[in-house]
Structures are given as C-alpha cells and as structure tokens.
Amino acid sequence: MDQEEEKKVTARINELYHKKQEQGLTPEEEEERKELHKKFLANFRAGFKQQLEDTVIIDKNGKEVTSERAKRAQRKKGLRKD
C-alpha cells in the first residue's frame, strides 16, 4: 500500500470510529471498519518486518551481532555480500 492509500485508509478508519462513538455503525460499516483495520495492520506488519530485516546490529565492541535470519533476508535482497 502506498502512502496515499494508507492516508485514505487511516482517514476512513478514523471517520468510522467517530461515527461509532456518536451514533453507532450499520452492519455494513462495521464490516468495512474490520476490513480496513485488517488492511492497515497487514501494511504495518509488512513495513515493520522490512525495517527489521534491513537492520544491522553492532555491539559496543564494534562486532556485528545481526541475527542469522536477518542476514539471510539481507542476502536474498542483495544487501549483503558475505
């Protein structure tokens, strides 16, 4: 999901939230809210996973201590040459 679509999804989630607080939602709106929430969480998790996979961890002695799982993901993406 690109940034523009993410903004639209977030805005609609917020709109439905406020409507729910004020007067309640129809069954269709409740279903839409659930689907948008799932979409938002999936996008968030994908971005978070990407960020973790791209992170290199160095300890205080200057030694790399990145997990093997992250190293494999980085190699697969061509970010590592070791």
Side-chain angles (χ1 to χ4, degrees):
M1 170 179 348
D2 63 12
Q3 285 183 339
E4 189 64 35
E5 186 178 357
E6 184 178 355
K7 285 180 184 179
K8 288 178 183 177
V9 167
T10 303
R12 182 64 178 152
I13 289 171
N14 288 333
E15 183 181 314
L16 290 170
Y17 169 78
H18 291 295
K19 183 176 181 192
K20 182 178 181 178
Q21 296 300 321
E22 293 171 5
Q23 63 193 41
L25 298 175
T26 65
E28 294 82 15
E29 289 170 329
E30 186 62 36
E31 188 62 33
E32 178 188 6
R33 187 196 65 77
K34 287 179 185 178
E35 290 302 314
L36 289 170
H37 192 244
K38 284 181 188 179
K39 190 175 187 179
F40 178 83
L41 283 177
N43 186 57
F44 176 82
R45 288 179 178 134
F48 191 72
K49 181 180 178 186
Q50 177 72 39
Q51 187 175 4
L52 286 177
E53 288 177 348
D54 292 346
T55 300
V56 175
I57 303 168
I58 309 293
D59 70 9
K60 64 182 177 182
N61 298 322
K63 181 181 175 188
E64 181 181 359
V65 291
T66 306
S67 72
E68 284 303 315
R69 183 176 177 184
K71 286 180 183 178
R72 282 193 305 272
Q74 291 166 359
R75 285 185 196 107
K76 189 175 181 180
K77 294 177 185 177
L79 301 174
R80 295 185 77 90
K81 296 187 191 260
D82 61 352

